[in-house]
Every structure is written in structure tokens, then in C-alpha cells.
Amino acid sequence: MPALLEVQDLKKYFRTGSGMLHAVDGINFSLEAGKTLGVVGESGCGKSTLGRTILHLLDATGGRMSFDGEDITNPKRAELRGLREKMQIIFQDPYSSLDPRKSVGETIMEPLKIQGALPKGDMIAETRRLMDSVGLAARFENSYPHELDGGRRQRIGIARALSLNPKFIVCDEPVSALDVSIQAQIINLMLDLQEERGLTYMFVTHDLSVVKYISDDIMVMYLGQMVEMAPADELFRDTRHPYTKALLSAIPIPGIHGKTKRILLRGEITSPINPGPGCRFMARCRHASEGCSQPQTLEECSPGHFVACHIHGEIV
Amino acid sequence: MEEQGNLLEIRDLAVEYHTDEATIYAVNHIGLTVKKGETIGLVGETGAGKTSIARSILGILPMPPAKIVSGEILYRGNELLRLPEREMRKIRGNKIAMIFQDPMTALNPIETVGFQIAETIRQHDSVSQVEANRRACDMLEMVGIAMGRFGDFPHQFSGGMKQRVVIAMALACNPELLLADEPTTALDVTIQAQVLEMMQSLRERLETSVMLITHDLGVVSEFCDSVAVVYAGEIVERGTVEDIFDRPGHPYTLGLFGSLPRLDATERRLKPIKGRMPDPTNVPEGCRFCDRCPRAEDRCSKSPPAESEIAPGHAVKCFFAPQR
């Protein structure tokens, strides 16, 4: 199966007063149609920037991207418009990502209006169909976002993202602001929609239990770089990178039996401004040794399982 | 009547918020006890009333619009709700301290962290500035921040460090009861692990009782001795962590567990609780969970179930609770 999205050596740097901030620094991956890639990492690791750079909401500093067999690294204006129909985003915060002055119906219809392919009557019918498919009752069509709770607002965000029938959706922490019982409803909805429409997701989150649940593959990011990527089950079963190990062990498991030993990290995430050439996790890693100050290369330790640590085989 | 070892006892507490349009029934006649040295978790979703309970204890509910319409809160046998503000100030921050969810807003941006901790100490103990500074340094060390950062301002710290400062400030007067309102929710998991580990060791060392307010069942299972599950202003189930995690009795508690994506899950779909929490301005007459409950019958919508104890210390507010 050919990849829907291919990303090579993608870089996004920001100029700051104290130097270059390496938000995304040489990311490579390919994503097959109909699959979900989970991207995890802590705040500031560059996971949201990665999603936004792929969607051209931010301009890449370097690297190449192709989508559906076409190069999309530097699209022209007209191409970008076509691209936006195929690639969409669902934002984290359903409270601030909706226009408070637009009704639910208007919000969902807006992309259709901009596209301008349908007569008005069809747009209204399509809007109702979209509302139905995300589980929003028709009576909310004329409601405004402030009248609805977080779960329903997130359903609006999903309906709007789906309105132009995209192939690929970047989901940027779509359930992080929701309570567990509502979160479960939204996750199930997203899985249903994926099955029905053959959607491809890039699911950006810091919640590792959610990401394991919905992803086919998981990429772990640390300070702009990919430290490990593997099929979801394998990442949890055969964890290789010391950072991934610490991250997984830090998740509080809701249960009172069979506690695992927690690996406590020293210190906090280091600055992404002008980072050195070596392993960026070195300062917090308990296995750090001399070889770590050299640049780490990504090694495929088993099919589809990549790790960027020169001693991953030696540590337990 | 007063049971030995109860540090805090809440009886029949009811809190309402009165606005021009409506009355919000935030806390509906709840009872709860915290024993000396115990850590109790208050679990529930946004708007369940957890924070209103904690704020009632400290007497910091915004009044108006809030109004405590009934109940007593006994701290070492003293009724806090009738205490004059002057007396309450001696307890607040001294005997009972609170950690708020957002460390970014809990600190004064234009004072150094050391000054802010020392200020808390001087507020309650008549010690010299030098002595207060020395104790503030000790507190910083205790939460794992180098003494050299005494003179730094909040913006010079990261989120996890700021939360440590807030914890240092809360513990500066050796409180007997710590109310922690989502203390790690704004933090990353690796930092959360550090902060919880630190709170755990401080709790053991200082024998502080803790009321931990959270929506994270994972944190509860690791950190608490007992649990109260709060739903729409009521405690629907309470018991030890073992009771709640091994033998959950209320359909809402079961629903919460079904909603969690688990690391050991094999099914392709979660089992969410259908619907959403009732509008707090218009709560159902019967059981408040009735509309979402898979087991609901006629009687559930007619009158609220009473709390029944299904095992010693394990109580469930449901008609279907197995009887002892």
C-alpha cells in the first residue's frame, strides 16, 4: 500500500531573541491511508508544531513532504487551497477554536461556502447530514457555542473538519479538555468515522493511554526529534529508548494491583534553543555515557520499530 | 458522638449558587470524614462540585453568588462554618492549606518565591524575617528546589517547579490537612510523577492528611487510601481504594472505569456513559444519575436512593446496591 503522507527530514525553526528554537528538527515518517499515527511527547516537544507544519499552517524551515503521490513541500496558492480540502485539523480546545458569533449550523457550513461547489439548499442538507453523523441533534443548528458543553463543541469541531470530505486529519489533543465519560464518546465517534470514511489520522496527544488505544503506530518526540517509533502494541511491549521507558512508567495506572517500578526523571525538559549535536535527552538520562554527545542516528531494530539511541540494546 | 481520629467531618453540606437567572445546586447534602494521616481522593467530572466542597472547608467560596444552605464542617470538633473570619484566618493556611490547580496563577508574579513562602510563615507564626527566610529556604530544599533560587521570581520557574513552590508554601506552616485541587493536572506525566512522589514522601514525613481532588483515577489509585466518587453534587460512592477499584458498587463508578482507555485493553471501542451530567440548575427529582444509568427503573426517577453501606466503610447511593 503506498503511503498517503510522506515526510522527510522536516524542520521548523523559530527565531527567538536568544537564538534558533528547534521546534521540529529532522522528522521522517510515512503514513498509510486509513491508519492512525499517534504522536506523543511532553509540552514543548514540538508535536503540535509538527502537525501544523504538515498542514502548512506554518511554513517549514526545511525538508520534503508528499501527499497522495504529489509533492506538497512548496504548494502554490491555488494548490494550497485544494490541499486544504484534503487535509484538516481538529483543535484541542473546543472553547476557543469556535467563533462565538456563529451558530452551529453556520460554523459547520462555512467551509462548504468557501469551497462554493454546492448550491445553498444542498449546503444546508449537507450540514444537517454532518451534524447527524457526529451525533449532534438537529435542534442545535441555531445554537451558539457558549450554549453547549465541551463534548458537543468538540463534535462541532469534528463536523467542520469533515465537511469537505478530507482524507487526512491532524487531531491536536482533541479529547484532552474533556471529562473521561465524554472523552470516551468522542474517541468512539472518531473511530467510527475513520471506519466509515477511511480517514487517516495523525493524533497528537500527551495522553499515552488514549494514544495506545487509537493508534496503529506511535511516534515519541523529545525536543523536536523522534526518539522512537513503533507499532502501538510493540512500543509498550518492547520499549527501547530510555525516554520512552521513563514516559511509559510515569503513567498512573488506574488499578491497585501489579504496580510497576517508576523511573523518575531528573530535572525537566531542556531548552530547545540552539541545542547541541548530541542526544537531547542526555541531561536527564540515567544511562548517559560518552557516546551520547555524538549525534544519534535512527536505527530500525525490528521491522517498523525505529529508535534513536546508540545503546538501546544494552539497557534494560 | 465524635469518633476518635476524625480530623475533619463534613455533615449534610449543601451549597447553592444564586444568580439572576437560576439557582445552581452545586453540593447536595453530602457527608464525609477525613481521618488523621489519611489521604482521601475526591473523584468526579467537571462541575460535579468537588472544588465547591474544598472551598467550603476553607471558607473561601465566593459569597455571593455562593450560599451554604445547610450543614456543618467540624475540624477537630470546631464548627468552621460558624467561626468568625478572624478565627478562620488562623486556621486557613496554617492548619488547613490548599494547593490550587494552576500554579501559574497561584503565585504573585512581582514577588520572589522565597519572599512569598516567608510571608506565609510570618502570617501565622511570630518569627523574625530572618527566621522566616531560613524556614522558607528549608521548605524549598524539601520540595527539591535549590536554596539559591530563593530570590527568583515565579516566571523564572517551569510549570513543575512552580507547583513545587506552591506546595512548599502550602506546607510551610505544617498544616494538618492539605486540600489539593488537581495539583498535577496542568503538568506533564514525567513531572507529575516527580510531584506525586514528592508529596508522598512529605505526607509520610509530616503525617499530613490530604484531600486530593482529581478526575484522574490513575492518580487516585496510586496516591489515596480512600475515595469518594462525586457526581452532580452528591457523593454516590465512598470506600477504601480497594473497595472502589476492586468492588465498585455504583453504576456511575462502573461507567467511569468503562470510559477509561486502558493500556491493557483489547477491545476496539470504549464503553462510555451515555448522555451527560444533568443541568445543575434543573436536577432530577430522583437519582441524579438516572437518565444515564443502564440499570435505571421507574423508582429511580421518582425518589432519590438513600446511601447504604454494603460493607463496613463502603457506601453506595443506589437502589441496586447489594445489601449486607
Side-chain angles (χ1 to χ4, degrees):
Chain A
M1 188 129 183
L4 178 74
L5 174 70
E6 224 160 322
V7 170
Q8 284 166 18
D9 198 28
L10 189 68
K11 292 192 175 95
K12 175 64 197 174
Y13 297 169
F14 295 98
R15 199 181 300 279
T16 70
S18 39
M20 275 295 189
L21 189 152
H22 295 226
V24 173
D25 207 359
I27 296 283
N28 292 287
F29 70 90
S30 68
L31 179 54
E32 275 178 34
K35 300 280 187 190
T36 300
L37 172 69
V39 180
V40 292
E42 297 177 84
S43 20
C45 73
K47 54 191 191 303
S48 291
T49 306
L50 174 64
R52 281 162 205 217
T53 310
I54 292 169
L55 295 183
H56 290 90
L57 295 172
L58 294 167
D59 291 325
T61 310
R64 300 206 71 75
M65 294 180 271
S66 68
F67 182 79
D68 218 2
E70 283 169 47
D71 186 283
I72 58 158
T73 312
N74 292 305
K76 297 197 184 70
R77 259 186 97 88
E79 289 167 352
L80 190 58
R81 207 180 154 110
L83 208 54
R84 293 247 156 96
E85 292 182 11
K86 295 183 208 155
M87 304 168 99
Q88 282 291 329
I89 184 164
I90 300 169
F91 292 99
Q92 166 170 9
D93 186 357
Y95 298 87
S96 61
S97 59
L98 297 173
D99 185 340
R101 294 171 303 177
K102 282 204 166 71
S103 70
V104 174
E106 286 167 342
T107 302
I108 297 171
M109 204 195 295
E110 195 180 20
L112 295 167
K113 267 190 185 159
I114 294 170
Q115 184 192 36
L118 294 176
K120 179 128 196 218
D122 290 1
M123 283 201 291
I124 293 171
E126 179 61 19
T127 302
R128 291 190 180 143
R129 203 156 37 235
L130 283 163
M131 285 182 65
D132 184 54
S133 67
V134 298
L136 271 175
R139 69 192 144 98
F140 294 119
E141 191 175 344
N142 296 315
S143 302
Y144 286 86
H146 76 267
E147 299 172 286
L148 305 178
D149 61 58
R152 287 201 179 110
R153 287 188 221 199
Q154 199 53 290
R155 288 177 196 268
I156 304 175
I158 294 171
R160 185 179 157 96
L162 290 175
S163 59
L164 299 179
N165 222 350
K167 291 183 174 173
F168 172 65
I169 302 181
V170 172
C171 315
D172 192 355
E173 306 262 16
V175 294
S176 305
L178 307 175
D179 278 311
V180 278
S181 72
I182 305 298
Q183 172 178 302
Q185 295 175 359
I186 300 293
I187 291 175
N188 280 356
L189 171 67
M190 293 179 67
L191 289 169
D192 289 342
L193 291 168
Q194 179 168 41
E195 270 174 24
E196 285 164 24
R197 296 167 172 246
L199 292 168
T200 310
Y201 289 145
M202 181 169 142
F203 200 96
V204 177
T205 183
H206 68 278
D207 188 329
L208 289 138
S209 2
V210 169
V211 87
K212 175 167 188 225
Y213 196 80
I214 77 152
S215 305
D216 296 292
D217 290 290
I218 299 177
M219 175 198 297
V220 182
M221 281 182 77
Y222 190 79
L223 281 181
Q225 296 179 329
M226 182 207 293
V227 294
E228 188 162 5
M229 180 155 87
D233 287 332
E234 187 168 331
L235 186 83
F236 283 79
R237 201 180 55 239
D238 183 20
T239 315
R240 292 297 180 102
H241 198 281
Y243 175 64
T244 317
K245 286 185 187 203
L247 193 63
L248 298 188
S249 82
I251 313 170
I253 308 288
I256 48 174
H257 305 290
K259 290 280 174 234
T260 46
K261 183 77 193 99
R262 181 154 291 164
I263 303 166
L264 277 187
L265 288 180
R266 284 173 280 152
E268 315 209 359
I269 200 159
T270 32
S271 165
I273 295 172
N274 299 333
C279 171
R280 293 187 182 171
F281 182 58
M282 188 170 74
R284 299 171 80 190
C285 183
R286 56 187 187 150
H287 303 287
S289 63
E290 265 175 43
C292 301
S293 46
Q294 301 300 315
Q296 303 294 308
T297 47
L298 212 55
E299 185 194 321
E300 189 164 10
C301 58
S302 61
H305 189 163
F306 300 87
V307 57
C309 174
H310 68 113
I311 48 165
H312 72 85
E314 299 156 34
I315 54 179
V316 277
Chain B
M1 176 69 200
E2 189 179 330
E3 212 177 304
Q4 201 60 41
N6 276 351
L7 185 67
L8 185 86
E9 192 172 346
I10 301 177
R11 291 183 193 154
D12 194 41
L13 178 73
V15 179
E16 295 173 0
Y17 290 83
H18 295 270
T19 68
D20 288 346
E21 293 90 33
T23 302
I24 295 159
Y25 301 93
V27 179
N28 185 30
H29 302 278
I30 62 137
L32 192 67
T33 56
V34 184
K35 295 191 190 70
K36 183 102 193 77
E38 179 189 40
T39 298
I40 181 168
L42 234 53
V43 197
E45 300 179 66
T46 315
K50 310 182 296 286
T51 302
S52 290
I53 295 171
R55 286 178 173 264
S56 309
I57 298 169
L58 268 188
I60 52 168
L61 277 173
M63 292 199 248
K67 194 169 177 224
I68 294 178
V69 289
S70 95
E72 310 182 290
I73 298 177
L74 300 171
Y75 167 73
R76 292 190 162 276
N78 294 321
E79 158 62 310
L80 295 183
L81 295 180
R82 299 204 204 306
L83 224 50
E85 177 60 20
R86 191 164 36 85
E87 294 298 311
M88 194 62 210
R89 287 189 72 154
K90 290 182 189 161
I91 291 176
R92 191 188 297 136
N94 190 23
K95 301 287 182 206
I96 306 177
M98 184 154 175
I99 303 171
F100 294 91
Q101 172 168 0
D102 185 1
M104 308 0 171
T105 55
L107 294 168
N108 183 342
I110 58 161
E111 298 285 4
T112 66
V113 297
F115 176 84
Q116 294 184 53
I117 300 171
E119 188 185 29
T120 313
I121 297 168
R122 298 225 334 152
Q123 191 65 237
H124 295 289
D125 295 345
S126 50
V127 294
S128 69
Q129 184 70 51
V130 178
E131 171 65 11
N133 286 355
R134 196 193 54 73
R135 275 174 57 187
C137 279
D138 290 348
M139 291 313 296
L140 281 176
E141 291 264 282
M142 196 171 75
V143 297
I145 296 175
M147 246 190 250
R149 304 205 60 181
F150 183 93
D152 284 354
F153 289 90
H155 75 268
Q156 293 169 292
F157 292 85
S158 65
M161 300 274 264
K162 268 187 247 184
Q163 195 58 291
R164 285 161 192 259
V165 172
V166 172
I167 292 170
M169 201 186 292
L171 294 176
C173 293
N174 266 327
E176 289 185 297
L177 176 64
L178 183 64
L179 308 173
D181 190 358
E182 306 264 9
T184 56
T185 305
L187 308 176
D188 281 314
V189 278
T190 63
I191 309 298
Q192 165 171 290
Q194 290 174 0
V195 170
L196 286 179
E197 191 91 358
M198 188 200 79
M199 282 178 65
Q200 192 114 15
S201 71
L202 292 177
R203 186 182 68 184
E204 280 158 20
R205 196 138 37 104
L206 308 174
E207 292 181 347
T208 316
S209 303
V210 182
M211 182 184 278
L212 179 74
I213 297 175
T214 182
H215 64 276
D216 189 331
L217 287 161
V219 171
V220 168
S221 72
E222 301 211 347
F223 195 72
C224 298
D225 306 312
S226 57
V227 185
V229 182
V230 189
Y231 182 78
E234 297 183 335
I235 292 178
V236 294
E237 181 162 7
R238 59 189 171 82
T240 62
V241 260
E242 289 80 14
D243 291 335
I244 304 294
F245 283 83
D246 283 352
R247 303 173 287 278
H250 197 281
Y252 175 64
T253 318
L254 287 162
L256 276 184
F257 283 115
S259 301
L260 286 180
R262 299 182 74 109
L263 290 174
D264 52 5
T266 45
E267 314 90 35
R268 262 305 265 169
R269 288 292 185 276
L270 296 166
K271 293 180 222 57
I273 306 170
K274 63 173 184 180
R276 40 189 51 75
M277 213 152 68
D279 179 355
T281 61
N282 180 22
V283 286
E285 231 171 86
C287 171
R288 293 191 173 191
F289 188 58
C290 162
D291 289 344
R292 305 176 74 184
C293 184
R295 300 190 61 176
E297 288 178 355
D298 264 1
R299 59 175 166 166
C300 300
S301 58
K302 294 203 174 93
S303 64
E307 189 179 78
S308 56
E309 211 171 25
I310 60 172
H314 184 187
V316 177
K317 204 173 159 95
C318 177
F319 286 121
F320 299 102
Q323 297 303 313
R324 270 168 93 178

